[in-house]
Amino acid sequence: MARLTNVHKTYTMSAGNVVQALRGVTLDIPRGAFYALMGPSGSGKSTLLNIIGSLDRPDTGTITLDGTDITAISPSELPDIRRRLIGFVFQGFNLIPTLNALENVALPLKYEGIRRRKAREHAVELLEKMGLGGRIHHRPNELSGGEQQRVAISRALIMNPPLILADEPTGEVDTATSETIMSLLSDLNEKGQTIVVVTHDPFTASYAERVIRMRDGHILSPDEENGE
Amino acid sequence: MARLTNVHKTYTMSAGNVVQALRGVTLDIPRGAFYALMGPSGSGKSTLLNIIGSLDRPDTGTITLDGTDITAISPSELPDIRRRLIGFVFQGFNLIPTLNALENVALPLKYEGIRRRKAREHAVELLEKMGLGGRIHHRPNELSGGEQQRVAISRALIMNPPLILADEPTGEVDTATSETIMSLLSDLNEKGQTIVVVTHDPFTASYAERVIRMRDGHILSPDEENGE
Ligand SMILES: Nc1ncnc2c1ncn2[C@@H]1O[C@H](COP(=O)(O)OP(=O)(O)OP(=O)(O)O)[C@@H](O)[C@H]1O
Ligand SMILES: Nc1ncnc2c1ncn2[C@@H]1O[C@H](COP(=O)(O)OP(=O)(O)OP(=O)(O)O)[C@@H](O)[C@H]1O
Ligand SMILES: [Mg+2]
Ligand SMILES: [Mg+2]
């Protein structure tokens, strides 16, 4: 589904100092995989997820999504690939402040020209699964942190994307709500969707079939993980 | 330090439906206490913290801060009380996007007219304690989620406020970084600062002397917590 080969990403600050966020990442995410990505704050997880999701470009290295080398094609082709393939849950949610929960979740469907009533039903159903049935008309600033998080998750899932990239989807919620979110993701994975979840929470990571650990822009080999 | 008596807070939506966020909260936070506040997403924790911090007003009930009934005084007096007494870590961080980490943290000091060099030294020291020594010139959008969180925490602590109100201060960070944050708060508590931390994370809550649990806008009695 996604394959990264020797991906490097460096940020250069205006003062000239340099942050090497990814230092040669090679990773294969097979179709139907359910991976958790863990590591210290600042180790490069969000950067890696953004690059897998084509929201950011590596400096060197290649990324293949669903067979297409997205580092080789024109950037103008990326939005269509992204829309077709990927549902992204952002660490900061990125909800549209002027739209309510229902409108935020239905937005990708509207873009696809799906009939308004059908889009609305699908969005309501998903929000209810997330326990937000009573909050669908609330705008983001009328929602709690964990409620905003669940709206962001719902928006990412509404198109049943083949690849789900979730950056800390349970960071603002209690264990019971985490369970609701992660079992929904497990169900989708059983139906064939590929899932990568960045998380700091071992309980959340336990739903994945495999945990990938990062440190300082590197993915750790199993030996490195065990402190060798 | 802070005392709430029968505090109610209701949000009324434009469509007329009503959300009872706090349904009669009575709570005493003694000087020098270190409390954790836990409960399901949407149960009213942030609303309660905002009201304790005078950032929001209850509909009914009283709040006393350091001996002053803040529900009885003119709202124009609140900013001074708040600045003198409270350091607030927001669930959404609320960093100023155009300022870098150092400037964000030094901002409360500048407001107090503290000499610029002294303010800068104090801010750098705190950021280094938070593991952000190499990131002080980064703006928020040049920081990871957990780095932004630590900048928000540093800004709240920079004035050594008597009362620290922290809304999910470890939601975006790994366990080791949580430990750094929570042991810093423990040190401050040992020196006499009063601390209330809202959290979903039992590890974070374990640093507190007492856990207060909420559900549906209520604080649970110990019996209710035990499911009686
Ligand atoms: N635009 C940028 N300019 C400079 N440095 C950046 C920029 N964006 C991120 N960084 C740095 O790159 C490093 C990796 O960032 P990233 O957001 O990938 O970390 P992360 O593993 O997701 O951390 P967290 O767990 O805190 O969310 C961080 O140290 C961060 O300061
Ligand atoms: N401005 C508002 N208008 C209407 N309802 C609101 C508003 N702000 C909050 N609410 C509702 O009040 C309830 C309590 O919100 P609050 O932010 O205090 O919850 P919380 O316990 O902090 O949740 P979380 O753990 O998800 O952060 C939520 O159900 C939320 O939808
Ligand atoms: Mg991140
Ligand atoms: Mg909250």
Side-chain angles (χ1 to χ4, degrees), chain A residues 13 19 39-42 91 135 137-138 142 144-147 150 168 171-174 177 200, chain B residues 13 19 39-42 91 135 137-138 142 144-147 150 168 171-174 177 200:
Chain A
M13 309 294 292
V19 176
S41 170
Q91 190 167 5
R135 296 287 181 272
H137 299 300
H138 288 231
E142 295 167 329
S144 78
E147 290 167 347
R150 284 175 277 163
E168 313 232 24
E172 300 296 323
V173 299
D174 51 288
T177 308
H200 286 300
Chain B
M13 308 294 294
V19 175
S41 172
Q91 192 168 4
R135 296 288 181 270
H137 299 300
H138 288 229
E142 297 169 327
S144 78
E147 292 168 346
R150 284 175 275 164
E168 314 232 23
E172 300 297 323
V173 299
D174 51 288
T177 308
H200 285 300

Side-chain angles (χ1 to χ4, degrees), chain A residues 124-165:
Chain A
V124 171
E125 185 183 354
L126 193 43
L127 284 163
E128 283 173 345
K129 271 193 193 159
M130 287 285 177
L132 297 177
R135 296 287 181 272
I136 64 174
H137 299 300
H138 288 231
R139 286 189 306 277
N141 67 348
E142 295 167 329
L143 291 169
S144 78
E147 290 167 347
Q148 293 177 35
Q149 185 152 46
R150 284 175 277 163
V151 174
I153 295 166
S154 305
R155 181 181 62 182
L157 301 184
I158 193 80
M159 299 279 291
N160 286 319
L163 177 59
I164 296 163
L165 302 174

Side-chain angles (χ1 to χ4, degrees), chain A residues 40-197:
Chain A
S41 170
S43 56
K45 305 179 298 297
S46 295
T47 302
L48 179 54
L49 214 67
N50 288 341
I51 281 177
I52 295 170
S54 81
L55 295 167
D56 201 357
R57 286 178 73 84
D59 300 322
T60 61
T62 56
I63 299 136
T64 306
L65 269 186
D66 197 34
T68 304
D69 180 347
I70 62 168
T71 39
I73 64 177
S74 155
S76 60
E77 297 181 55
L78 288 175
D80 283 336
I81 292 175
R82 203 154 48 223
R83 204 158 26 241
R84 180 168 53 82
L85 283 180
I86 298 171
F88 208 111
V89 186
F90 296 92
Q91 190 167 5
F93 313 154
N94 292 3
L95 297 178
I96 297 179
T98 46
L99 302 182
N100 66 29
L102 180 56
E103 293 162 337
N104 263 286
V105 174
L107 201 62
L109 296 172
K110 290 196 144 197
Y111 193 93
E112 293 295 311
I114 290 170
R115 284 183 155 282
R116 183 169 157 174
R117 185 168 57 80
K118 199 163 186 342
R120 186 195 158 91
E121 282 172 18
H122 193 14
V124 171
E125 185 183 354
L126 193 43
L127 284 163
E128 283 173 345
K129 271 193 193 159
M130 287 285 177
L132 297 177
R135 296 287 181 272
I136 64 174
H137 299 300
H138 288 231
R139 286 189 306 277
N141 67 348
E142 295 167 329
L143 291 169
S144 78
E147 290 167 347
Q148 293 177 35
Q149 185 152 46
R150 284 175 277 163
V151 174
I153 295 166
S154 305
R155 181 181 62 182
L157 301 184
I158 193 80
M159 299 279 291
N160 286 319
L163 177 59
I164 296 163
L165 302 174
D167 202 341
E168 313 232 24
T170 57
E172 300 296 323
V173 299
D174 51 288
T175 309
T177 308
S178 290
E179 238 168 319
T180 305
I181 293 167
M182 297 312 294
S183 30
L184 175 55
L185 291 181
S186 290
D187 293 344
L188 298 179
N189 180 242
E190 275 172 42
K191 293 188 190 123
Q193 280 165 283
T194 306
I195 304 183
V196 180
V197 172

Side-chain angles (χ1 to χ4, degrees), chain B residues 26-101:
Chain B
T26 293
L27 177 64
D28 184 43
I29 300 165
R31 204 171 294 270
F34 191 167
Y35 288 177
L37 177 60
M38 303 185 83
S41 172
S43 56
K45 306 179 299 295
S46 295
T47 302
L48 179 54
L49 214 68
N50 289 341
I51 283 178
I52 296 171
S54 81
L55 296 167
D56 203 355
R57 285 178 73 86
D59 299 321
T60 60
T62 56
I63 298 138
T64 306
L65 267 188
D66 198 32
T68 304
D69 179 347
I70 62 169
T71 39
I73 64 179
S74 152
S76 61
E77 298 181 52
L78 289 175
D80 282 337
I81 292 175
R82 201 153 50 223
R83 201 156 31 238
R84 177 167 55 81
L85 283 180
I86 299 171
F88 208 111
V89 186
F90 296 92
Q91 192 168 4
F93 314 153
N94 292 4
L95 297 179
I96 296 179
T98 48
L99 302 182
N100 66 29

